[in-house]
Amino acid sequence: MYTSSTASALFETRLTPARIGMTNHFGQRLSQYQRAIENLVVDIDDPYRISTMESTALARRIEKTNMAIYRFGPDYGRDRSAVTALTAQLGLGDPDQNLCADADGLSPIQVHPKGVRQRYIPYTDKKLNWHTDGYYHRPERIIRTMLLHCARPALEGGALEAIDHEIIYGLIQERDPRLAEALSLPDAMTIPENGLSGPAFRAKCSGPVFFEESGALRMRYTARKHNVIWKEDALTQEAVAVLDEILNSSRDLIVRCSLKSGEGLICANVPHRRDAFIDSPCVSERRLIYRGRYTCPLGI
Ligand SMILES: [Fe+2]
């Protein structure tokens, strides 16, 4: 269990009908979302100097879907400092540092045949199942914003999919409010100890899938069954099955994108997945994605 009292208080906050739970408003929110995901791309001519029009365009999409896809001008596709320039202008602060991040806080996601990263699926060419980033983090280190910037796409495959967690919550609540409530309890999911030593060690900890924070709904989730122990009661088990069903059957609500060089997904750490891919045989042409994780919320 989480030990910090502040952290516990944060995760034990029960969901209120602030933004999502108003069932009568969900239909409106859903149709707005469906319209907005048809047009998520925002062109950014110069990522070092985003115009007011560009940031407004990003904000509009993020407000309706918790995500946006940006497209840099042709000179900036592989320019990682353009990514940090963008996030600085969006007020995201320093990226969350993790073992795979470089000095600028971005993690280059690439196939690594050997080394520390090969144990992690993101650093392979395999498919990556539904998850939110840092779902295993403690409450003092919640990942509120996540960015995936494509420097080089795969030779074939590697498409991303994402879905707004507020929509998932609304759909679960429509099915049965008790299921949404079960996933909002502080003992809904337990992340087992990771068995590593040194700075990589992570103790066993429990927390909710959904929780509210300053009026914003947040979600922690992984579909990888051996990475999480679900509470054993019938309601939680049913809720997890419904969540799984929504993620795997809501084609019309899922954003699917094959990012090209210079394009990126920026989001409120919504659930996302990745297709398997085939890499170029040329090492210097391998798929390369820069990932940034931020504890700051997206508040453009
Ligand atoms: Fe991820």
Side-chain angles (χ1 to χ4, degrees):
M1 290 292 289
Y2 294 85
T3 50
S4 147
S5 57
T6 311
S8 298
L10 179 57
F11 269 1
E12 282 166 13
T13 303
R14 302 294 288 270
L15 282 166
T16 61
R19 185 170 168 190
I20 316 308
M22 305 282 282
T23 316
N24 50 338
H25 290 167
F26 180 63
Q28 198 183 336
R29 171 79 170 82
L30 185 61
S31 53
Q32 191 182 50
Y33 172 79
Q34 284 177 297
R35 280 195 304 275
I37 59 174
E38 296 297 320
N39 177 25
L40 276 185
V41 180
V42 175
D43 281 303
I44 294 179
D45 289 339
D46 178 356
Y48 292 91
R49 284 186 8 164
I50 304 173
S51 70
T52 307
M53 201 179 286
E54 290 164 348
S55 66
T56 304
L58 286 172
R60 285 212 180 110
R61 284 154 181 81
I62 289 163
E63 187 193 352
K64 291 173 185 157
T65 68
N66 273 315
M67 66 184 107
I69 294 169
Y70 63 80
R71 181 163 57 200
F72 287 171
D75 296 341
Y76 304 103
R78 299 182 186 185
D79 180 359
R80 63 189 290 167
S81 61
V83 179
T84 51
L86 169 75
T87 58
Q89 289 165 92
L90 299 182
L92 292 176
D94 293 331
D96 175 75
Q97 282 290 341
N98 63 75
L99 293 174
C100 298
D102 290 337
D104 62 2
L106 296 176
S107 301
I109 311 286
Q110 217 172 1
V111 173
H112 280 254
K114 287 181 181 164
V116 66
R117 295 171 180 179
Q118 77 180 127
R119 79 165 76 96
Y120 301 117
I121 292 182
Y123 299 93
T124 69
D125 55 9
K126 296 188 175 78
K127 79 167 185 178
L128 199 52
N129 215 337
W130 289 104
H131 67 282
T132 61
D133 277 24
Y135 64 86
Y136 42 80
H137 283 187
R138 292 176 167 277
E140 62 271 20
R141 196 179 158 201
I142 294 162
I143 303 300
R144 298 176 177 86
T145 302
M146 190 276 293
L147 170 145
L148 290 169
H149 176 90
C150 177
R152 276 192 305 271
L155 199 60
E156 199 178 308
L160 293 172
E161 291 188 339
I163 179 169
D164 186 350
H165 57 287
E166 292 185 16
I167 296 300
I168 297 174
Y169 184 86
L171 292 172
I172 295 174
Q173 199 175 48
E174 262 193 344
R175 189 80 66 98
D176 183 343
R178 294 174 308 154
L179 301 178
E181 186 75 7
L183 292 177
S184 308
L185 294 175
D187 58 350
M189 64 189 273
T190 297
I191 311 299
E193 182 189 307
N194 65 357
L196 301 175
S197 56
F201 173 76
R202 192 184 64 231
K204 176 180 171 181
C205 59
S206 299
V209 175
F210 296 106
F211 63 102
E212 190 179 338
E213 178 192 51
S214 307
L217 186 74
R218 309 248 173 246
M219 183 177 180
R220 307 159 61 243
Y221 178 71
T222 178
R224 295 189 71 199
K225 297 210 173 5
H226 67 271
N227 288 17
V228 60
I229 303 161
W230 293 104
K231 192 175 170 184
E232 286 187 4
D233 72 302
L235 214 49
T236 309
Q237 295 291 321
E238 186 185 345
V240 172
V242 168
L243 174 50
D244 184 71
E245 181 197 317
I246 290 169
L247 289 172
N248 292 296
S249 65
S250 309
R251 301 307 318 166
D252 57 330
L253 301 176
I254 289 169
V255 174
R256 184 174 171 83
C257 49
S258 296
L259 297 176
K260 300 185 184 72
S261 180
E263 296 178 347
L265 170 73
I266 185 159
C267 69
N269 198 10
V270 299
H272 54 283
R273 61 169 295 282
R274 174 189 85 192
D275 283 354
F277 61 89
I278 298 169
D279 236 342
S280 167
C282 175
V283 174
S284 63
E285 291 303 317
R286 280 184 182 161
R287 181 182 192 266
L288 173 60
I289 303 287
Y290 293 123
R291 182 190 65 203
R293 292 172 168 172
Y294 307 85
T295 54
C296 280
L298 266 172
I300 302 172

